[in-house]
Amino acid sequence: MTTLFPMGCIIMASGHSARFGSNKLLQDFHGQPLIQYVLSATQDIFAQRVVVTRYEKIARLCLEQHIPYLLHDKPYLNDTVRLGMAYCESPELLGYAFCTSDQPFLRWQSVQQLCASFVKTPYAIQRLAYGESPGNPMLFPADLAEELRSLPQDKGGGVLAKKYPERVRLVQVQDKYELFDIDTVRDLRQCLNLAAARYSK
């Protein structure tokens, strides 16, 4: 039986995809909706996990896979953080991971490594990185929970990483593309081409 890390995982799936032009998280990426990759990369790792979204199609996708979700109509990024925190609130959790939903190359092993690093230094803000370039997911210790719940309007956890730089620890990924996120149609095409080249080998 898998031992789950005593942390909550909030999957952020409420973005407006303004630069993309449509809901990018439902775009096909090699036979699966884009959001499926973060769902797979976070499976069977965390004691609690929830997808926070404003999209009914994403909620249905979660329902089909028995993944907890929160469907809401709040406008801002900090709303998504707060709602996810409320769902995962438990005195037994040591920390809270926040995952974006547009990283198709994110590996399950990297997310697990992030959690394992946190267990060793549970006072630190952990985030995946390639070299000195930080990315997502980010994992925050429980003592920052109240600050996470009261983030400024439309801001995410990066605000606290900047506020407490001395507490940030970078956990290295093997492949820089793990941290690549898709914001535009051009990004999607680039990642599709990269994936096609990899899968054909």
Side-chain angles (χ1 to χ4, degrees):
M1 183 175 179
T2 303
T3 300
L4 303 178
F5 287 99
M7 302 158 201
C9 175
I10 295 103
I11 297 175
M12 319 281 279
S14 300
H16 295 286
S17 302
R19 294 172 60 191
F20 195 89
S22 62
N23 189 347
K24 62 183 178 181
L25 301 184
L26 294 171
Q27 289 291 315
D28 181 82
F29 193 91
H30 282 272
Q32 299 187 96
L34 181 59
I35 190 175
Q36 184 60 49
Y37 292 86
V38 73
L39 299 181
S40 299
T42 56
Q43 185 176 358
D44 297 330
I45 294 178
F46 298 92
Q48 292 190 36
R49 182 173 63 147
V50 64
V51 176
V52 185
T53 186
R54 59 167 55 89
Y55 302 108
E56 291 187 5
K57 288 184 178 180
I58 291 178
R60 286 200 296 270
L61 183 69
C62 293
L63 185 63
E64 291 168 2
Q65 299 179 54
H66 308 288
I67 298 172
Y69 66 89
L70 289 172
L71 188 62
H72 70 97
D73 61 357
K74 304 298 182 183
Y76 300 117
L77 177 59
N78 61 303
D79 294 320
T80 303
V81 172
R82 178 173 46 78
L83 290 169
M85 293 282 294
Y87 181 90
C88 291
E89 191 170 30
S90 168
E92 298 172 356
L93 298 180
L94 300 181
Y96 302 88
F98 292 88
C99 302
T100 61
S101 299
D102 56 358
Q103 293 175 249
F105 299 114
L106 181 65
R107 297 167 64 244
W108 184 90
Q109 292 86 349
S110 296
V111 179
Q112 187 184 51
Q113 183 181 357
L114 180 73
C115 294
S117 177
F118 182 83
V119 169
K120 295 177 182 177
T121 53
Y123 57 85
I125 299 170
Q126 309 272 347
R127 66 186 308 180
L128 291 184
Y130 184 77
E132 294 299 315
S133 300
N136 291 302
M138 299 178 67
L139 216 170
F140 295 87
D143 72 284
L144 293 177
E146 191 54 43
E147 290 191 66
L148 286 166
R149 294 188 193 97
S150 56
L151 288 168
Q153 181 173 296
D154 213 21
K155 297 295 184 181
V159 169
L160 299 186
K162 292 179 180 178
K163 182 178 179 180
Y164 303 111
E166 74 283 355
R167 295 182 67 173
V168 175
R169 300 291 183 274
L170 302 182
V171 179
Q172 297 297 315
V173 296
Q174 298 179 3
D175 181 352
K176 66 180 180 180
Y177 286 102
E178 285 195 65
L179 306 182
F180 196 93
D181 60 338
I182 293 175
D183 291 323
T184 65
V185 173
R186 182 179 179 181
D187 292 339
L188 177 63
R189 290 173 181 159
Q190 181 181 349
C191 285
L192 283 169
N193 289 338
L194 177 62
R198 290 184 171 189
Y199 298 157
S200 65
K201 293 181 179 179

